[in-house]
Amino acid sequence: MIEELFGDLRIEDLLLPYFCTTTNLSRFELAVHRCGPAAEWVLASSSAPGLWPPVVDESGELHIDGGQLDNVPTDVMRRAHQGPLLAVDVCATQQAMTVAPGAAPAVGLRHLLHRRSGDRFPSLVDTINRCALLTSLQQRARAADQADVYLTPDLSSVGFRGFRQLRQAVEIGYRTAMAELADVAHPS
């Protein structure tokens, strides 16, 4: 879908300045992409480990979602662009991940039968996503310090895989932005 959307478009040919970040697994570092095939780098920057395979660059190095190291790279934006910086952290609000004390993970047939129950162990995808957020959430204060406005819409009701709840997410983001911008324009 991403390749179909972007085709042969290159980042440097976009109408507005753009960059994305990836985690270079080969070098254990954050990579910033300001040029090159848009489809390749957008795909790599959204390739969550465990869900999609890493993207291989022209040197054979492996790239995954940049959020593994820095989910809101305000420092990169601050160094590259002049003017006000508005950042949106869609992962800042997380619900506690808990299970009943003494609960055992369902395995085998029990796993299949209890898969849809509300009282279950987190899925592998949920667990991997939670682990991926650890580093980024630790850097939240640093990211907020670099931004002029730092929005943290509470999308915990949408969830990591809430693609079907896009309209709800947009509405939550819009309300959060309007409330924060009103506070900035008319501080108490």
Side-chain angles (χ1 to χ4, degrees):
M1 178 179 81
I2 290 175
E3 289 173 356
E4 197 172 296
L5 179 66
F6 288 102
D8 293 333
L9 190 62
R10 297 184 61 78
I11 292 174
E12 60 268 28
D13 296 333
L14 295 172
L15 294 176
L16 296 173
Y18 170 82
F19 76 89
C20 63
T21 61
T22 62
T23 299
N24 182 323
L25 290 177
S26 301
R27 297 180 181 268
F28 302 102
E29 65 187 19
L30 188 71
V32 179
H33 307 281
R34 290 188 170 83
C35 61
E40 177 179 349
W41 295 122
V42 168
L43 178 62
S45 73
S46 60
S47 291
L51 294 179
W52 294 283
V55 171
V56 181
D57 71 13
E58 69 280 350
S59 302
E61 295 179 351
L62 304 171
H63 295 263
I64 59 170
D65 180 8
Q68 300 299 300
L69 293 178
D70 191 350
N71 206 39
V72 187
T74 53
D75 56 338
V76 175
M77 180 65 84
R78 181 60 70 200
R79 284 191 307 267
H81 301 284
Q82 298 298 317
L85 176 55
L86 184 136
V88 181
D89 186 347
V90 298
C91 297
T93 306
Q94 295 293 317
Q95 294 176 343
M97 182 182 273
T98 61
V99 296
V107 294
L109 186 56
R110 213 168 36 135
H111 169 70
L112 295 175
L113 295 174
H114 297 289
R115 194 173 186 168
R116 301 242 182 250
S117 80
D119 187 26
R120 63 173 180 85
F121 261 71
S123 69
L124 178 60
V125 171
D126 292 335
T127 303
I128 290 172
N129 179 54
R130 191 72 166 207
C131 291
L133 291 174
L134 289 173
T135 301
S136 286
L137 290 175
Q138 298 294 320
Q139 295 181 28
R140 184 175 45 221
R142 182 188 52 80
D145 285 345
Q146 293 286 325
D148 296 296
V149 177
Y150 193 78
L151 302 176
T152 57
D154 183 355
L155 296 174
S156 58
S157 63
V158 175
F160 177 67
R161 295 175 288 167
F163 298 111
R164 290 190 177 97
Q165 297 170 294
L166 183 59
R167 284 196 173 112
Q168 178 186 352
V170 168
E171 179 60 30
I172 292 168
Y174 178 79
R175 281 185 305 206
T176 302
M178 295 309 291
E180 181 69 26
L181 293 175
D183 286 347
V184 170
H186 307 289
S188 306

